[in-house]
Structures are given as C-alpha cells and as structure tokens.
Amino acid sequence: MSYIDGFVAAVPTAKKQDYIAFCKLMGQVMKDCGAQQVVDCWGDDVPEGKVTSFPMAVKAEKDETVCFGWVIWPDKPTRDAGMEQMMKDPRCAPDQNPMPFDGMRMIFGGFEPLSGL
C-alpha cells in the first residue's frame, strides 16, 4: 500500500522563485530515492482561523505564504529507506541547498492512506 508524507511551511512571499527552485531540486532527490510523485503547492486561499489553521500551525507572518505539499511513496519501507538515502545525499546538505524558509516552523508527517479515488 502507498505511503504519504505531507508537509506545511511558511515561506517568505518574496522568495517564491527560490522556493520553486528548492522544490524542483528536492522533488528530484525524492524521486531518485524512490518517491512516485511529489506535489508542492503555493497557498492561494488559506484563511487564518480563530482556533486553529494552517497559518497558525506554522506561525505564518504577514509577509509569508503558507505552502503545502505531499510525497507519494510505493510503501512505508521504501519511504523509510528513501529518507535515509536523502539524508546522505549531498544535494540535501544545507550548505548546498539551503531552505528558503524557516524549517523550525515546518510541520510534517507520514500517513497511511485510508481511501482514495
């Protein structure tokens, strides 16, 4: 069964092009490590909530855009091996490919699909 990694991050709006370049490179790394599909999205209609919301979850500031993405892996063992391989890949080194956002405010997790169309 497939396995999904999901993430949400607050990206400085002025760094949209840097984020796109970062996503393209990281997407290729993930695919090289076994991912089947990588999807990165730039927030367009992401309202601030009263109790909770995407912006609140990542402590988005006024000059930031909330971004959301997911990675589809064939299964969890492939994902686990792929993540381990990514940690050793020089393209993932912070000095080679710095994140254009505050990684400390990014939220992420792995998920087992329950349904899909």
Side-chain angles (χ1 to χ4, degrees), residues 9 29 34 52 59 76 116:
V29 171
T52 189
K59 298 182 180 180
K76 189 170 190 299

Side-chain angles (χ1 to χ4, degrees), residues 4-9 19 38-42 67-71 107 109:
I4 313 297
D5 278 321
F7 63 89
V8 181
Y19 184 69
V38 180
V39 178
D40 296 292
C41 306
W42 188 259
C67 296
F68 174 73
W70 64 92
V71 182
I107 57 174

Side-chain angles (χ1 to χ4, degrees), residues 32-82:
D32 291 348
C33 293
Q36 295 176 312
Q37 184 179 23
V38 180
V39 178
D40 296 292
C41 306
W42 188 259
D44 178 57
D45 183 13
V46 187
E48 182 74 39
K50 291 186 187 323
V51 177
T52 189
S53 66
F54 281 114
M56 291 169 73
V58 294
K59 298 182 180 180
E61 298 174 6
K62 296 289 183 207
D63 63 343
E64 293 178 323
T65 298
V66 175
C67 296
F68 174 73
W70 64 92
V71 182
I72 301 175
W73 301 90
D75 50 46
K76 189 170 190 299
T78 302
R79 180 268 202 160
D80 291 346

